[in-house]
Structures are given as structure tokens and as C-alpha cells.
Amino acid sequence: MKKILVATAKPFATLAVEGIKKEVKDAGNELVLLEKYADRSQLLEAVADADAMIVRSDKIDAEVLDAAKNLKLVVRAGAGYDTIDLAHAKSNGVIVENTPGQNANAVAELVFGLLVYTVRNFYNGKPGTELKDKRLGLLAFGNVARNVARVAKGFDMKVSAYDEFCPAVNIETAGVRAYKTKEELFRNSDVVSLHIPATPETIGSIDYKLVNLMPEGGILVNAARKEIINEPELLKLLADRPDLKYITDLKPDALAEFEKFGDRFFTTPKKMGAQTAEANINAGVAAAQQINAFFKDGIVKFQVNK
């Protein structure tokens, strides 16, 4: 019997926990829940004898990994895994996986919720604009961006994408125009939606020079990662370009400075991309199923620290 720890400072929905429990127990393993933990020592104690763990946005660093003597697998219930020390996990013989695609539709719908709210002037009674025929550029073309493209077609938007790691033919097969550079994408998009991860190469990469390429009236949407935005440079650009707008579900560090731009900036109170019952259940259950597949058959299809 394996001990599976669910460690979530931000807990799963009740139905998601029930689904995880069923998957774990049906496989003959033991489930331990550590929800809404307030102190790091609680996590260190709980992980000490765990064979596998499921986390959300929890920080799994060297200290946690070193405390987990039996740990073989960590599954991030979601796509992003920048809160996990992949290199240290690998050196400790711990496999790290994510659950790509499980939150994709939820994030895509949020992007359009933000967009409609913005172009209709936050429903303040003043005339707004429509998304129909607007040019939407997707920076990266993974699971979320593909869902954004699908929804955008329902709005009759003209969709394009740039992805350094996705061949143009794969983008165009999805009925989306492929650009050769991100500069080209920004220059030819009325709306740019960001879908890149936070890596050493991308952190701070959304800067003055790049966003300034957008045409008049451009809207920048970030439902990806806060760290990819170069906040000082974007603040300077918003001051220099009164026609631009920035909307996000990732509260900036310099929130007070961004709020000075009034209705040209909007952020949700907290990260909302995956906050739907469906996404919660999908990601949690998928994580449990991946753990079962690992211990039963050694499957590591979604390993991210190879």
C-alpha cells in the first residue's frame, strides 16, 4: 500500500477530493489530506513518509523534497509547475508530472470573460466595441491557447499565433495563422493573449519594446504567469501609450501603480483561470490517475523533469 498525500494550501473543491479519494482507494492505496495548511512545518511533517503527492500552486522546494524520504512522484494538478524545484527533485530521484489540458477550457473561457468585460467598458453604460473581426494573437500555442483559438472562432475573430516550440504547420492545421516571430505577432494583433510559462528565458520578456509594437487600441491579456511581465516597462508604456489596455487575473506586484490607469487596467482579486468546479475535478482526478498508472505500470507520460 502506497501513501498518497494531497497537500493543498488552496484546497480542491469537495467533489474533486471525493474523486481523488475514489481513485486512490480503488487502487488499494492510502490517501492523506493536508488542506489549508498555515504553517510550512505541517507540510514537512506530512510529506515525511509519503510515496507520492498531489499539489496545486504549493511551493515544493529542496527543503520539502529532502524531508520526503520515501517520495517517488509529485503531480501538479494543473499545467504550470514553476513552484516545484525540478532539478532537485530529479537529483533526489523524484519524478515530477503535471496534468496538461485539464484546466485549459476554464482558462480560455476566463480570457473571453475578461475581454468582453473590457471591450464593453465594464458594463458602465457607455458604448463599447465588438470582438468580431478583431485580430487575436496567441503567444504560444499549447492546450490553453488552442482552446482560446476555438472560442475566438465563435466570435469571428481573426486568430494567429507564434510558438517557438510548435511547428508552423501544426498551428496552421488548427486553422490559425502562424507568424515567424513574436514581434510579427504583436505588430499584427489588436488583442494579444499570453500563454507562455515562467522560465528563465521568459521572465520579464513582455516588455516596453515588444508591447509597443501593438497597433492603436491594443489590449494585452495575461492569464498565464505574473513573472513574464516586465512591470516597470509596462507601466512606462501605459503612460506613454494612452490607447493601450492591460487585463489580467494575476495581480501585479505594483498594483497601486497600475490602478492609476483607471479603466485601461483590470485585474481580478485573485488568480481565477482554473477556478471552476469542472477544472478542479478534472485536474485532481487526472493527478490521482497518473499516480495510479505510475505505481501500477511505471507510466511517466507527463513527466516534466526528464
Side-chain angles (χ1 to χ4, degrees):
M1 178 183 289
K2 304 296 184 183
K3 183 174 181 179
I4 315 302
L5 172 67
V6 174
T8 50
K10 183 193 296 182
F12 283 109
T14 301
L15 286 176
V17 174
E18 290 176 1
I20 293 169
K21 282 181 179 177
K22 185 177 187 309
E23 291 292 335
V24 171
K25 290 182 178 180
D26 285 354
N29 294 317
E30 175 191 1
L31 182 72
V32 176
L33 282 175
L34 177 65
E35 298 180 303
K36 296 184 179 179
Y37 58 90
D39 194 284
R40 189 170 175 79
S41 63
Q42 294 174 272
L43 175 59
L44 296 175
E45 181 181 352
V47 80
D49 59 350
D51 296 289
M53 67 187 303
I54 297 172
V55 298
R56 298 188 72 193
S57 298
D58 306 82
K59 188 175 182 179
I60 308 302
D61 58 14
E63 184 183 23
V64 176
L65 292 163
D66 288 343
K69 303 303 181 184
N70 298 335
L71 195 65
K72 299 293 185 294
L73 177 66
V74 177
V75 182
R76 159 65 160 109
Y81 43 84
D82 47 287
T83 55
I84 303 173
D85 189 332
L86 300 186
H88 198 80
K90 185 175 181 180
S91 69
N92 280 18
V94 177
I95 290 169
V96 179
E97 296 186 1
N98 65 348
T99 60
Q102 301 299 329
N103 299 335
N105 182 69
V107 179
E109 289 189 8
L110 176 74
V111 167
F112 277 88
L114 291 170
L115 273 175
V116 172
Y117 189 52
T118 300
V119 299
R120 290 302 183 96
N121 293 318
F122 312 114
Y123 306 135
N124 63 6
K126 297 179 181 178
T129 61
E130 298 178 15
L131 293 175
K132 185 177 185 292
D133 293 328
K134 297 293 191 300
R135 298 170 297 173
L136 172 65
L138 305 171
L139 185 58
F141 200 63
N143 288 306
V144 174
R146 288 172 184 272
N147 275 273
V148 172
R150 171 181 55 80
V151 178
K153 291 174 185 177
F155 280 87
D156 281 338
M157 297 186 79
K158 299 170 182 176
V159 189
S160 59
Y162 168 75
D163 191 319
E164 180 182 357
F165 304 103
C166 183
V169 65
N170 292 358
I171 295 174
E172 290 168 350
T173 298
V176 173
R177 178 174 181 172
Y179 280 115
K180 295 180 179 179
T181 67
K182 60 185 177 182
E183 289 78 13
E184 228 183 343
L185 180 81
F186 274 75
R187 191 176 290 114
N188 292 284
S189 299
D190 302 303
V191 178
V192 172
S193 188
L194 306 173
H195 299 287
I196 55 176
T199 68
E201 293 75 29
T202 64
I203 289 173
S205 64
I206 308 303
D207 57 13
Y208 187 107
K209 184 178 180 181
L210 184 62
V211 183
N212 193 37
L213 295 173
M214 293 188 72
E216 185 175 354
I219 301 174
L220 180 67
V221 188
N222 182 18
R225 285 289 183 268
K226 177 174 67 175
E227 295 81 5
I228 64 178
I229 302 293
N230 186 319
E231 290 191 11
E233 292 196 14
L234 185 56
L235 284 166
K236 184 178 186 306
L237 179 61
L238 288 171
D240 291 349
R241 290 272 308 266
D243 60 295
L244 295 179
K245 293 181 179 179
Y246 175 51
I247 57 177
T248 180
D249 76 324
L250 300 145
K251 192 181 295 183
D253 291 331
L255 178 61
E257 295 302 309
F258 277 98
E259 287 179 333
K260 291 178 181 178
F261 293 102
D263 60 6
R264 293 171 50 216
F265 165 76
F266 177 78
T267 183
T268 55
K270 61 180 182 179
K271 184 168 175 55
M272 298 295 296
Q275 296 303 312
T276 68
E278 295 88 346
N280 219 244
I281 294 166
N282 292 346
V285 171
Q289 290 172 339
Q290 288 171 216
I291 288 173
N292 290 342
F294 171 76
F295 285 120
K296 184 176 183 290
D297 299 312
I299 296 173
V300 291
K301 179 179 179 181
F302 299 108
Q303 183 176 356
V304 295
N305 67 331
K306 296 178 181 178

